[in-house]
Amino acid sequence: MNDNSFLFIIELIGTFAFAVSGIRVAANKRVDLFGAYVVGLVTAIGGGTMRDLMLDVTPFWMLTPVYLVITGISLVLVIVMGKHLSRLEGTFFIFDTIGLAFFVVVGMQKSLAEDYPFWVAIIMGTFTGAFGGILRDILVNDLPLIFRKDIYASACIIGGLIYWGLDAASFNDIVCQSATAAGVILTRVAAVRFHWSLPTLKGDTGNVGNDNCKQPD
Amino acid sequence: MNDNSFLFIIELIGTFAFAVSGIRVAANKRVDLFGAYVVGLVTAIGGGTMRDLMLDVTPFWMLTPVYLVITGISLVLVIVMGKHLSRLEGTFFIFDTIGLAFFVVVGMQKSLAEDYPFWVAIIMGTFTGAFGGILRDILVNDLPLIFRKDIYASACIIGGLIYWGLDAASFNDIVCQSATAAGVILTRVAAVRFHWSLPTLKGDTGNVGNDNCKQPD
Amino acid sequence: MNDNSFLFIIELIGTFAFAVSGIRVAANKRVDLFGAYVVGLVTAIGGGTMRDLMLDVTPFWMLTPVYLVITGISLVLVIVMGKHLSRLEGTFFIFDTIGLAFFVVVGMQKSLAEDYPFWVAIIMGTFTGAFGGILRDILVNDLPLIFRKDIYASACIIGGLIYWGLDAASFNDIVCQSATAAGVILTRVAAVRFHWSLPTLKGDTGNVGNDNCKQPD
């Protein structure tokens, strides 16, 4: 198995894990099969699509139907497995974390290939990994979970900083990318294992915003 | 009346029906006139705008102000007609279905013109027809209706498959497009008449997602 | 201080005010630090990003990290100031209004520079000023405030019409842009001072839409 087919398998695993996540969230809202498919697809490809729009390249899923097929397989799996899926939580966590690491690396690579600086690449990597989940929660009308729990996105940023540091130290691409992926995975696993989370911000004065500010009396 | 002016009238009817749909949903949330206009506009042009961004062409509504004008007319109509609008439900259903069929055909045409394969064109056609309504429901903070009711999007996909099949059988564009539109319209009308709907997916374990997966103990 | 550095300072003030607005809204939803940062960033750069995608130019924030830094400073400020922030409501209102005026002018300039007509430029100016707040409310799962209160977006449109009129009368760019900014600021301040608001649209028949229309019996 060469490098490319290895990466491709990783990508499929990540797409599958993200799609299943979207479909399961949708199922809890009692949507129909089409809705579940759409939410699964958006979860799997939404981050990468927004990234590609911002990088001004063709959205990746328009180049091969494999992402649509994987989402379809994910839907069939959720239907067939039903309640038994929850026994596989650990497997999904591993798949999801591998997928996340892969999405971060791909997002960074694509940005660097378009000659953007590292700080843009880190944002794009994080975006690729985290935005699908935000879109999923918007679609099903929830406050994005990623804003409240876990250090999901922080793991992406830590991975991105590792990439930057190793690249600055002149390590080659393989080393940079492997270490980035490892950084994302280890951070996420450690965060879940040791219950790390970011502090919550406290509100001040009720719901405020730039469109209902009050003028001073 | 030549072909183009016929298509243009169909497009205006579709835009009008979609804008009215958005404005009526917004009105039920007690938004102000600006909010109603925005929701109507997004419902009418949102799907096509996202499609054009993904195809990397200029969003269609930036080339002529007619879509903004139609949305304005829709707003005036909703204000003037008020409660009497509900008597026209049947007329709106017809307009909306014609518009949907048109949007699917346009979305497919534009994708094929950019040399994308049929499976991309079918997604873009469905996207053009269905995404405006999803954006509308996100804007007014509802779970998208399209995920729960009706076989709205499925009608788009069936239309798209008809286009694909007829094109593969070497029929010319006029035949393909007319049959696609007819397929969308008949599927939708039959679905409403015979109360067809897609099965609902059942939830499994409460709200799950790729950002709150639990690691196995 | 030359013109460009003056404009840059205005832009930073606007970005800061918008970011603080997003972070404060997020804080009231008890999100974590990352979530607050994302909502602040989206509020500050979301409108301009969507504008740049539609104009097919590189999103402005990908060219310099200053917007990310300003959002970070905004987050630190909200954390440090906490409840005391509400005493600065008047200052934020002024910053926010200055920022809004700036965003409208920049949005219009960029569109005109790409040879779009004035009606596109006015929409893009309004979009730049108002869409960040809409995205903010979608992210935190609220009905966008801008749809219900204030004449925020109307101030953008009035500013845009002033630009159009003065340009048609052959005034130079500096005059057009200054008058536009003044128009936005004065309209917004007057609207808040005199409690102007747009009329609310009344609903008709319960929740309707283009995906649950009923066929006539």
Side-chain angles (χ1 to χ4, degrees):
Chain A
M1 188 159 70
N2 64 27
D3 274 12
N4 279 337
S5 65
F6 176 71
L7 281 181
F8 187 60
I9 289 170
I10 297 285
E11 185 175 11
L12 297 190
I13 289 175
T15 302
F16 172 74
F18 276 51
V20 168
S21 138
I23 292 164
R24 293 177 73 195
V25 168
N28 283 302
K29 296 281 180 167
R30 312 198 75 72
V31 302
D32 66 20
L33 288 183
F34 169 78
Y37 185 85
V38 170
V39 177
L41 187 64
V42 167
T43 308
I45 71 171
T49 302
M50 279 303 295
R51 173 203 63 211
D52 289 344
L53 289 180
M54 291 198 282
L55 294 177
D56 203 18
V57 300
T58 302
F60 68 102
W61 61 267
M62 291 166 67
L63 304 174
T64 156
V66 74
Y67 306 98
L68 304 179
V69 172
I70 292 277
T71 304
I73 293 171
S74 307
L75 182 59
V76 170
L77 183 97
V78 173
I79 294 168
V80 170
M81 296 289 291
K83 289 181 185 300
H84 304 290
L85 267 185
S86 53
R87 291 185 202 158
L88 298 174
E89 219 61 81
T91 309
F92 279 116
F93 175 78
I94 293 163
F95 280 15
D96 189 79
T97 303
I98 292 171
L100 181 65
F102 176 83
F103 285 176
V104 170
V105 170
V106 168
M108 292 192 71
Q109 270 184 303
K110 275 195 132 175
S111 308
L112 295 171
E114 300 282 324
D115 287 330
Y116 283 103
F118 260 101
W119 65 267
V120 171
I122 293 174
I123 292 180
M124 289 297 171
T126 305
F127 207 89
T128 310
F131 198 67
I134 294 178
L135 286 177
R136 174 199 63 206
D137 294 338
I138 290 175
L139 277 179
V140 300
N141 209 16
D142 278 340
L143 181 65
L145 267 171
I146 199 175
F147 293 166
R148 289 174 299 169
K149 299 193 65 161
D150 217 333
I151 65 155
Y152 200 78
S154 311
C156 302
I157 295 168
I158 288 169
L161 293 173
I162 290 171
Y163 201 140
W164 196 349
L166 292 179
D167 183 84
S170 303
F171 284 93
N172 68 33
D173 279 3
I174 307 276
V175 172
C176 292
Q177 290 164 18
S178 308
T180 301
V184 173
I185 292 169
L186 291 177
T187 307
R188 177 118 201 266
V189 168
V192 171
R193 173 69 76 195
F194 302 116
H195 304 287
W196 294 343
S197 69
L198 289 173
T200 299
L201 201 60
K202 288 194 188 67
D204 47 9
T205 60
N207 207 14
V208 295
N210 60 310
D211 36 32
N212 69 341
C213 290
K214 292 188 192 69
Q215 208 189 25
D217 293 322
Chain B
M1 189 159 70
N2 64 26
D3 274 12
N4 279 338
S5 64
F6 176 71
L7 281 181
F8 188 61
I9 288 170
I10 298 284
E11 184 174 12
L12 297 190
I13 289 174
T15 302
F16 172 74
F18 276 50
V20 168
S21 138
I23 292 165
R24 294 177 74 192
V25 168
N28 283 302
K29 295 282 180 167
R30 313 198 73 72
V31 302
D32 67 20
L33 289 183
F34 170 78
Y37 184 85
V38 170
V39 177
L41 187 64
V42 167
T43 309
I45 71 172
T49 302
M50 279 303 294
R51 173 203 64 210
D52 289 344
L53 288 180
M54 291 196 283
L55 294 178
D56 203 18
V57 299
T58 302
F60 69 103
W61 60 267
M62 291 167 66
L63 303 174
T64 155
V66 73
Y67 306 99
L68 304 179
V69 172
I70 292 277
T71 304
I73 293 170
S74 306
L75 181 59
V76 170
L77 184 98
V78 173
I79 294 169
V80 170
M81 297 288 291
K83 289 182 184 299
H84 305 289
L85 266 185
S86 53
R87 292 185 202 157
L88 299 174
E89 219 60 82
T91 309
F92 279 116
F93 175 78
I94 293 164
F95 280 14
D96 190 79
T97 303
I98 292 171
L100 181 66
F102 176 83
F103 285 176
V104 171
V105 171
V106 168
M108 292 191 71
Q109 269 183 304
K110 275 194 130 172
S111 308
L112 296 171
E114 300 282 323
D115 286 330
Y116 283 103
F118 261 100
W119 65 267
V120 170
I122 293 174
I123 291 180
M124 288 297 170
T126 305
F127 208 88
T128 310
F131 198 67
I134 293 177
L135 286 178
R136 174 198 64 204
D137 294 338
I138 290 175
L139 277 179
V140 301
N141 209 18
D142 279 339
L143 181 65
L145 268 171
I146 200 176
F147 292 166
R148 289 175 297 167
K149 299 194 65 161
D150 217 334
I151 65 155
Y152 199 78
S154 311
C156 302
I157 294 168
I158 288 168
L161 293 173
I162 290 171
Y163 201 141
W164 196 351
L166 293 179
D167 183 83
S170 303
F171 284 94
N172 68 33
D173 279 3
I174 307 275
V175 172
C176 291
Q177 290 165 16
S178 307
T180 301
V184 174
I185 291 170
L186 290 177
T187 307
R188 177 117 201 268
V189 169
V192 171
R193 173 69 74 196
F194 302 115
H195 304 287
W196 293 344
S197 68
L198 289 173
T200 298
L201 202 61
K202 288 195 188 65
D204 48 8
T205 61
N207 207 15
V208 295
N210 61 310
D211 36 32
N212 69 342
C213 291
K214 293 188 192 68
Q215 207 189 26
D217 292 323
Chain C
M1 188 159 70
N2 63 27
D3 274 11
N4 279 338
S5 65
F6 176 72
L7 281 180
F8 188 60
I9 289 171
I10 297 284
E11 185 174 11
L12 298 191
I13 289 175
T15 302
F16 172 73
F18 276 51
V20 168
S21 138
I23 293 165
R24 294 177 73 193
V25 168
N28 282 302
K29 296 281 181 167
R30 311 198 75 73
V31 302
D32 67 20
L33 288 183
F34 170 77
Y37 184 85
V38 170
V39 177
L41 188 63
V42 167
T43 308
I45 71 171
T49 302
M50 280 303 296
R51 172 203 64 210
D52 289 344
L53 289 179
M54 290 196 283
L55 293 178
D56 203 18
V57 300
T58 302
F60 69 102
W61 61 267
M62 290 166 67
L63 304 174
T64 156
V66 73
Y67 307 98
L68 305 179
V69 172
I70 292 276
T71 304
I73 293 171
S74 306
L75 182 59
V76 171
L77 183 98
V78 173
I79 294 168
V80 171
M81 297 288 292
K83 290 183 184 298
H84 305 289
L85 266 185
S86 52
R87 292 185 203 159
L88 297 175
E89 220 60 81
T91 309
F92 278 116
F93 174 78
I94 293 165
F95 280 15
D96 189 80
T97 303
I98 291 171
L100 181 66
F102 176 84
F103 285 175
V104 171
V105 171
V106 167
M108 292 191 71
Q109 271 184 302
K110 275 194 130 174
S111 308
L112 295 172
E114 300 282 324
D115 286 330
Y116 284 102
F118 260 99
W119 66 268
V120 170
I122 293 175
I123 292 180
M124 289 297 171
T126 305
F127 207 88
T128 310
F131 199 66
I134 294 177
L135 287 177
R136 175 199 64 206
D137 294 338
I138 290 174
L139 277 180
V140 300
N141 208 18
D142 279 339
L143 180 65
L145 267 172
I146 200 176
F147 292 166
R148 288 174 300 167
K149 299 195 64 163
D150 216 333
I151 65 155
Y152 200 77
S154 311
C156 302
I157 294 168
I158 288 169
L161 293 173
I162 290 171
Y163 202 140
W164 196 348
L166 292 179
D167 184 84
S170 303
F171 283 93
N172 69 33
D173 279 4
I174 307 276
V175 173
C176 292
Q177 291 165 16
S178 308
T180 301
V184 173
I185 292 170
L186 290 177
T187 307
R188 176 117 201 268
V189 169
V192 170
R193 174 68 75 193
F194 302 115
H195 304 288
W196 293 345
S197 69
L198 289 173
T200 298
L201 202 61
K202 288 194 188 67
D204 48 9
T205 60
N207 206 14
V208 295
N210 61 310
D211 37 32
N212 70 340
C213 291
K214 293 186 193 70
Q215 209 188 25
D217 292 322

